Amino acid sequence: MIWIERRHIYLVALFLGHLLLIAGILLLVTNRMEKRFLQALKNTQDAVEQIKENELLLAQDLNHARAVLGLNVRTYDFQLKEEERSSKEKVAYSPLFQAVDTILSLKEQQEWEGLLIKALRSPEVATLLGKNGLELKKEKGKVELQKKGIPYFSFSIYREKPLTIQSFLESRLVVESTELVTSRLVAFLQEQIPLLDAHFSKIQQLRTQLFATCNKQKLITLATQKGLFLSKEEESLDRVRLLYLLKIEPTLPKIEVGLDYRKGTFFIEQSFYKTIETFEGALTQAIENVDTRTSKEMRLDSILESLRTQMKDSGFQKYLQSKKIKISDKSRENEEYRFIDLLDEKGNRMGSIGVLKIKGETFLFDKDDVPITSLRMFTFPSPMQEKKKSLNQLSP
């Protein structure tokens, strides 16, 4: 009996051993197969990415070749799918990253803004501001130190440059350490306030010179002769300006002059002048040379100039030569139209292109100035447009 029981135990152990051996073999084979499968999958992915990259390069090369040949550039299906996939990934992930960055940025900005306000209300800074007549103005998204409404200093907070202080004259202080806000702020204000006070004292003198010069009798007389009058001043935070307007069209500015507060210089249009003497001389010249056309007259001139530019096209000029026709160099007009005449080889008028003064519409006339038709029904494509059209028709 004992022998039989031992035999049973031996058989069970032998059976279990075979099971463990088989399991081990299966596990080893499975593990190797999994590694081979993952490696094959990685190789396949690398190959697919390489194929995609080669496809994109091939598409670029093909489009470059098509462009050289004058053919239309194509967008291939795989490019659209790639752009669509990229777009979906951005939609899925970008807002989440942006949301976290926005929260972090806002948190950091609020911390720095708290430190700034604390520094501005500290005894050292408050005493300095009161002594110099500066006031703290805090609005949503904006912190300034003003004197008589003028923003002497503005403060901005960014993640790259935590705290930036800028004076009206654009001197800057960047504070990156939270422990030095008050001390560095006091030092910067003490340095800049006297400079700003001196600058704005000079600005008041320059303003007086500007208005006195613009209202000199000789300039007023000259402007009146040209049909101009001087507007009231328009003042912003960085400049004061005056406009010389056309009397018969009082909304049409002809000359803009003024004083730039930051630069401390006079200006006429885009030119700047450091002294009142050079400014007055330049203003006198500007009024003498002013363009006194009305907006309607300028529009008509622009249309006629555009027509003459089209008529200078080399293809059109060859066509005129083949028909022995010339374009008159001189324009003429009557009460309703301004004309460009078409002349035969003897200089006789064959017809005209006329622009209706009141509306700016263009018409074709016969030799007796009788309207034939509106030129809206005609188009004058350039040689390049014609060439492009032909190539597009040949494009596969």
Side-chain angles (χ1 to χ4, degrees):
M1 293 293 293
I2 295 174
W3 180 82
I4 293 173
E5 291 177 357
R6 287 179 177 177
R7 185 177 176 217
H8 287 167
I9 292 171
Y10 174 77
L11 290 173
V12 171
L14 182 62
F15 177 72
L16 291 174
H18 279 97
L19 286 179
L20 290 173
L21 179 62
I22 292 170
I25 293 171
L26 289 174
L27 182 62
L28 179 62
V29 171
T30 303
N31 187 40
R32 288 181 177 178
M33 289 179 66
E34 183 180 1
K35 287 183 178 179
R36 289 180 180 177
F37 176 75
L38 291 175
Q39 184 62 42
L41 181 61
K42 183 178 183 302
N43 292 339
T44 302
Q45 289 176 337
D46 291 342
V48 170
E49 291 298 325
Q50 186 63 48
I51 291 171
K52 286 182 179 179
E53 184 177 347
N54 290 336
E55 284 179 336
L56 291 172
L57 292 172
L58 179 60
Q60 292 174 0
D61 291 341
L62 285 173
N63 278 332
H64 178 71
R66 292 178 68 87
V68 171
L69 294 172
L71 301 176
N72 288 334
V73 175
R74 284 181 170 176
T75 301
Y76 298 90
D77 290 341
F78 65 83
Q79 287 178 298
L80 294 174
K81 290 178 181 178
E82 183 67 20
E83 290 176 2
E84 183 178 354
R85 183 181 67 83
S86 177
S87 177
K88 287 181 179 179
E89 289 178 353
K90 288 181 180 178
V91 170
Y93 299 106
S94 293
L96 298 177
F97 288 104
Q98 292 174 2
V100 174
D101 284 344
T102 299
I103 290 175
L104 291 174
S105 178
L106 180 61
K107 180 177 179 294
E108 188 173 356
Q109 183 175 345
Q110 289 172 341
E111 291 174 352
W112 273 98
E113 187 172 323
L115 289 171
L116 171 61
I117 298 301
K118 183 179 179 180
L120 289 171
R121 290 174 177 168
S122 66
E124 303 96 315
V125 178
T127 300
L128 180 62
L129 299 183
K131 179 181 177 181
N132 290 278
L134 292 169
E135 294 181 303
L136 172 61
K137 296 292 182 180
K138 184 178 181 298
E139 299 176 4
K140 186 176 180 180
K142 183 171 69 173
V143 179
E144 291 181 342
L145 291 178
Q146 297 183 1
K147 185 172 184 177
K148 297 179 180 179
I150 301 171
Y152 264 42
F153 301 95
S154 59
F155 302 84
S156 55
I157 300 170
Y158 303 101
R159 291 188 68 180
E160 295 81 5
K161 296 180 179 178
L163 174 59
T164 301
I165 308 165
Q166 180 170 301
S167 76
F168 184 87
L169 296 178
E170 301 182 342
S171 295
R172 293 185 181 183
L173 170 67
V174 178
V175 181
E176 298 180 354
S177 172
T178 58
E179 299 177 357
L180 301 174
V181 175
T182 302
S183 60
R184 297 200 64 188
L185 177 59
V186 168
F188 183 69
L189 295 178
Q190 287 177 333
E191 174 191 275
Q192 294 297 318
I193 290 174
L195 300 178
L196 290 166
D197 285 341
H199 177 77
F200 282 106
S201 176
K202 179 184 176 182
I203 290 297
Q204 289 302 321
Q205 297 175 7
L206 296 177
R207 274 177 57 93
T208 301
Q209 293 177 1
L210 172 68
F211 294 125
T213 298
C214 289
N215 285 285
K216 281 188 175 182
Q217 188 57 50
K218 66 176 184 178
L219 286 176
I220 293 175
T221 301
L222 181 59
T224 302
Q225 292 172 352
K226 293 289 184 176
L228 304 176
F229 71 96
L230 192 63
S231 71
K232 294 181 179 179
E233 69 268 20
E234 299 175 12
E235 188 169 18
S236 61
L237 291 176
D238 59 350
R239 62 170 45 186
V240 61
R241 70 172 191 158
L242 299 162
L243 298 173
Y244 284 89
L245 303 167
L246 201 62
K247 286 187 176 181
I248 59 175
E249 194 172 349
T251 58
L252 180 62
K254 288 297 182 177
I255 306 174
E256 180 181 346
V257 302
L259 173 65
D260 188 297
Y261 289 168
R262 295 187 193 277
K263 295 180 180 179
T265 55
F266 304 103
F267 66 85
I268 302 174
E269 300 297 340
Q270 304 302 317
S271 300
F272 290 87
Y273 305 90
K274 292 183 178 180
T275 67
I276 194 62
E277 290 78 18
T278 56
F279 170 78
E280 182 177 346
L283 178 56
T284 301
Q285 193 66 42
I287 295 175
E288 289 177 346
N289 299 333
V290 69
D291 180 358
T292 57
R293 294 177 298 168
T294 65
S295 56
K296 190 176 295 184
E297 290 170 338
M298 288 190 291
R299 181 170 175 239
L300 287 172
D301 287 343
S302 177
I303 294 171
L304 288 167
E305 183 63 29
S306 176
L307 286 170
R308 288 196 177 276
T309 299
Q310 293 181 59
M311 290 175 178
K312 291 177 182 177
D313 175 80
S314 59
F316 185 62
Q317 285 292 319
K318 289 180 181 179
Y319 176 75
L320 291 177
Q321 291 173 7
S322 70
K323 301 298 181 180
K324 298 181 179 180
I325 296 175
K326 296 180 181 179
I327 303 296
S328 175
D329 294 332
K330 296 181 180 179
S331 298
R332 62 184 181 88
E333 63 182 291
N334 58 24
E335 291 183 0
E336 296 181 283
Y337 294 91
R338 293 178 64 179
F339 299 98
I340 298 176
D341 293 328
L342 305 177
L343 310 176
D344 62 19
E345 56 185 338
K346 294 182 179 180
N348 299 318
R349 186 165 72 241
M350 300 174 59
S352 306
I353 295 174
V355 180
L356 184 61
K357 293 180 180 179
I358 193 170
K359 293 184 177 180
E361 295 178 2
T362 308
F363 296 87
L364 185 64
F365 293 82
D366 68 10
K367 63 179 182 179
D368 298 318
D369 288 346
V370 176
I372 300 174
T373 184
S374 168
L375 283 187
R376 286 183 179 179
M377 66 180 293
F378 296 103
T379 57
F380 299 100
S382 68
M384 287 301 294
Q385 290 174 320
E386 288 289 352
K387 181 179 179 182
K388 184 177 180 182
K389 181 179 178 182
S390 300
L391 289 172
N392 288 342
Q393 291 173 345
L394 295 173
S395 177

